[in-house]
Amino acid sequence: MKYNESVRVTNDEQLLMNIVRLRYADSPVFIDLPSITSQFEISGNAHFLGGFGNQYPGNANLGFGELGARDSPTLSYRPREGKEVAKALLTPLSAELFSVVNAGANLEQMMLLTLNDVNDVGNAPQATAMTPKAPDYNAEFLRGVRLMASLRERSATEIQVGYEEDADASSDPIAEKGLGGDDLLNAAKEGYVFRQRGEGRMALLKREKSLVLRVHRPYVDSPDMHELCRIFHLRPGLSRYRLKSEFSQNALDETPDAIETGETIYLNLRSILQMMVFLSKGVCVPEEHVAENVAPSTPGPDGRPYNWTQITAGNFFVRSQKHRPRDAEMAVFYRGYWFYIPSNDVNSRAIMAILEILVSIEESETHTGGPLLTIPVGD
């Protein structure tokens, strides 16, 4: 359990350090700990002396013993670099990841962290730039996601998983008699399915997992649902809205379905790096670092440095001070200051937990072998 806790603490600190680095427009660095090998050793010995005394008759007994235990762990470090880290950090997330909301993730925090916009309603997209040139805002976006989260908390809505077949990604019709069991099995493994296309003809269609926001009947025409539809340009009165990534929309289409019919919630999803840069705007930078241009700043409407922390206010905030903080859940020392999240800041801790889960998912999809640095750390 001590190993478990140490890995948790160091992972949290590494993630926080990289978020702070990105606030200063410095490059993040990731080092993985893929394995811990531990050797346990227990040893003991005992001594006994005995005899018969000359001066005073009788037996003399003298003995002592000792027991020793030793734990010698070996840590294997693997720095992430090259195509591996680039793919994990730069690939936009999939809309399917929103199914983790059903596993207990906070919907408001999930949408704030992972989305650039919903149906063209922006979540301060400029905040995903390390050195933004102009301030940005997300008040309308936050109002919309808070309404969505409130409806979910009241069991007015739920996210369901379904499957759909994409007719545009189908093959040319082929003769049905030419298909064997292996063809059907291999197609299913790759996410495809054969469907009838005329007498004796079959076509191969892409079968994709899709998400649906289901609105329970008593809330379909509720004021909150109507306001949610107004904010995100949806058609009110529907009981189901498809959740779909913008990256699945054909860029050559003249009008996205979300704008034309109002039946689809298009999600412009971020990459891991964009999420980390966005969260870096919630870092409280010391005034002297802003004044000395050590940390990048953006001029606001009044000419003073724009306060980027307001776009993550209430969800994520990293404090800073000269001296090591007390009762910090995680703290890192960088450029002469301590940056930390207090133990009682539950929202910031929850955001970090969601981010770490998403990073782990991306890592598992891109993990490859690499150089190892093995260090025996002794007793």
Side-chain angles (χ1 to χ4, degrees):
M1 292 307 298
K2 289 182 179 180
Y3 294 148
N4 183 289
E5 180 64 15
S6 296
V7 171
R8 183 194 71 83
V9 170
T10 52
N11 280 345
D12 289 347
E13 289 177 351
Q14 178 175 241
L15 197 56
L16 179 60
M17 174 64 84
N18 283 326
I19 289 173
V20 173
R21 284 171 175 157
L22 289 168
R23 181 61 183 89
Y24 283 83
D26 296 335
S27 58
V29 177
F30 293 89
I31 296 179
D32 293 336
L33 179 60
S35 66
I36 301 176
T37 303
S38 186
Q39 295 179 333
F40 297 93
E41 178 184 341
I42 297 178
S43 61
N45 59 69
H47 298 272
F48 175 78
L49 299 174
F52 188 81
N54 294 323
Q55 185 176 1
Y56 301 99
N59 293 323
N61 298 308
L62 178 64
F64 66 90
E66 61 182 27
L67 179 67
R70 176 175 176 171
D71 180 8
S72 302
T74 299
L75 310 181
S76 298
Y77 291 98
R78 184 176 64 89
R80 271 188 288 154
E81 54 188 10
K83 291 182 179 180
E84 178 188 1
V85 67
K87 184 177 180 181
L89 292 180
L90 302 179
T91 303
L93 299 180
S94 167
E96 294 176 12
L97 287 176
F98 270 78
S99 58
V100 303
V101 172
N102 292 335
N106 182 283
L107 182 60
E108 178 185 342
Q109 293 178 334
M110 185 76 175
M111 296 185 75
L112 175 72
L113 177 62
T114 61
L115 297 177
N116 273 321
D117 65 67
V118 174
N119 286 358
D120 297 333
V121 179
N123 179 23
Q126 288 291 324
T128 60
M130 283 191 281
T131 57
K133 302 302 181 184
D136 209 344
Y137 309 90
N138 61 351
E140 189 76 349
F141 177 89
L142 280 175
R143 174 165 170 73
V145 299
R146 283 169 181 164
L147 275 172
M148 193 176 290
S150 174
L151 287 164
R152 176 175 172 77
E153 289 167 3
R154 287 177 278 161
S155 299
T157 64
E158 61 179 316
I159 295 177
Q160 298 179 330
V161 179
Y163 292 88
E164 61 181 354
E165 296 169 6
D166 188 357
D168 294 334
S170 62
S171 67
D172 293 331
I174 58 177
E176 183 177 358
K177 62 182 181 180
L179 294 177
D182 290 342
D183 298 317
L184 300 177
L185 183 60
N186 291 332
K189 287 181 179 179
E190 298 298 326
Y192 287 85
V193 63
F194 284 97
R195 289 289 182 258
Q196 198 79 31
R197 287 293 183 268
E199 186 175 352
R201 310 289 286 176
M202 302 286 286
L204 190 63
L205 276 65
K206 178 67 175 176
R207 192 168 186 260
E208 295 181 333
K209 184 186 291 186
S210 61
L211 299 179
V212 175
L213 179 69
R214 178 171 174 259
V215 185
H216 294 170
R217 190 174 298 277
Y219 296 91
V220 169
D221 291 314
S222 65
D224 282 353
M225 197 63 212
H226 276 267
E227 177 65 5
L228 180 68
C229 291
R230 181 196 68 79
I231 293 173
F232 291 136
H233 313 302
L234 299 170
R235 194 202 324 170
L238 301 181
S239 60
R240 292 177 184 271
Y241 298 92
R242 293 173 61 195
L243 290 166
K244 199 168 184 180
S245 169
E246 268 192 12
F247 293 99
S248 61
Q249 175 70 26
N250 189 345
L252 298 178
D253 289 348
E254 293 183 1
T255 307
D257 291 342
I259 299 175
E260 187 174 317
T261 66
E263 299 176 357
T264 305
I265 302 174
Y266 276 102
L267 309 174
N268 187 336
L269 287 146
R270 293 171 173 155
S271 65
I272 294 293
L273 182 60
Q274 286 178 312
M275 286 188 284
M276 293 177 64
V277 174
F278 178 82
L279 289 183
S280 74
K281 300 302 187 290
V283 175
C284 180
V285 179
E287 292 185 4
E288 65 181 81
H289 289 178
V290 176
E292 297 170 0
N293 290 324
V294 175
S297 62
T298 306
D302 57 358
R304 302 180 61 187
Y306 179 66
N307 181 16
W308 281 105
T309 61
Q310 62 185 316
I311 66 170
T312 63
N315 281 291
F316 186 77
F317 186 68
V318 178
R319 294 161 174 80
S320 62
Q321 63 183 45
K322 271 286 189 182
H323 304 289
R324 188 185 185 98
R326 296 181 179 179
D327 299 326
E329 180 68 17
M330 57 194 81
V332 295
F333 187 73
Y334 193 66
R335 293 184 178 268
Y337 277 81
W338 284 94
F339 296 86
Y340 68 99
I341 295 176
S343 299
N344 60 2
D345 189 350
V346 179
N347 287 335
S348 296
R349 288 165 49 199
I351 286 278
M352 291 289 287
I354 293 173
L355 179 60
E356 190 145 349
I357 291 171
L358 296 176
V359 170
S360 298
I361 292 173
E362 293 301 301
E363 283 181 357
S364 65
E365 294 180 354
T366 60
H367 177 73
T368 58
L372 294 178
L373 173 63
T374 302
I375 303 175
V377 292
D379 295 342

